[in-house]
Amino acid sequence: PYAGRAWLVHAGAGACSMTTGAHIALRDAVVALLEAAPALASGRIESRRKRQPMPQNAPEEIRVWLHTSDGKRADTANTKYEWTTVIAVHCLARDSSGIDAETRVDAMAQAVTSRVLNSARLGSLALDIRLDRITWEGEEMDSSTADAVLAFSIFHRIQISIS
């Protein structure tokens, strides 16, 4: 289904070195989508996973991270790989301004999903994007918060140079 699509070329140093540069570019592209005007979560978007409660003064926050990436060789020369990279987008909210946390998280999750799935394949970095899973982690220390973690599977190819 991806015939004729471009390869993302990674010119990493070292023999068969598989770096994360192309994967980080995907994460950064998702962050840029969420930061585009009007920015979601009032611009409170982190490009890393944090294991700490949401700040008390923030009604909303989004955290984006690389979760997993499964690759397979796409040619016999061992220079092209097809990847399925899962990027997690963690939407967090708290009760604020008369709007409950669950309502805020639901609105954020809908906005995130719309932006990512309608992104023209992340500026051509991706061959396809799919929302595969939603999980709820919960903020145990604060009952006024709610969350949802959206797991987007991003299908992409990387061509590496072998030296």
Side-chain angles (χ1 to χ4, degrees), residues 47-60:
S47 62
R48 61 189 169 91
R49 187 169 191 168
K50 289 174 30 179
R51 296 280 187 186
Q52 57 204 40
M54 196 171 114
Q56 288 292 328
N57 63 344
E60 299 174 343

Side-chain angles (χ1 to χ4, degrees), residues 2 9 17 36 45 54 58 78 80 88 126 139 154:
Y2 307 127
V9 177
S17 175
I45 300 168
M54 196 171 114
N78 207 27
K80 297 177 182 176
E139 294 275 338
I154 300 175

Side-chain angles (χ1 to χ4, degrees), residues 74-140:
D75 70 344
T76 57
N78 207 27
T79 61
K80 297 177 182 176
Y81 288 81
E82 292 180 346
W83 291 89
T84 301
T85 298
V86 177
I87 294 183
V89 179
H90 193 178
C91 301
L92 300 105
R94 92 173 48 260
D95 297 341
S96 179
S97 302
I99 302 171
D100 66 275
E102 287 86 7
T103 300
R104 286 180 176 278
V105 163
D106 185 56
M108 272 195 300
Q110 288 181 35
V112 166
T113 300
S114 177
R115 285 194 188 190
V116 173
L117 294 182
N118 293 310
S119 68
R121 296 188 318 269
L122 297 175
S124 299
L125 291 177
L127 300 170
D128 195 17
I129 303 169
R130 190 175 66 215
L131 175 60
D132 282 332
R133 178 176 296 126
I134 303 174
T135 58
W136 295 267
E137 294 187 356
E139 294 275 338
E140 293 181 18

Side-chain angles (χ1 to χ4, degrees), residues 3-66:
R5 302 261 177 101
W7 288 87
L8 179 62
V9 177
H10 175 72
C16 283
S17 175
M18 194 52 81
T19 67
T20 61
H23 299 85
I24 290 169
L26 291 171
R27 183 208 55 206
D28 291 348
V30 170
V31 169
L33 280 174
L34 306 180
E35 290 177 334
L40 300 182
S42 300
R44 292 189 58 87
I45 300 168
E46 298 268 344
S47 62
R48 61 189 169 91
R49 187 169 191 168
K50 289 174 30 179
R51 296 280 187 186
Q52 57 204 40
M54 196 171 114
Q56 288 292 328
N57 63 344
E60 299 174 343
E61 184 173 279
I62 296 175
R63 300 170 185 173
V64 181
W65 66 89
L66 292 166

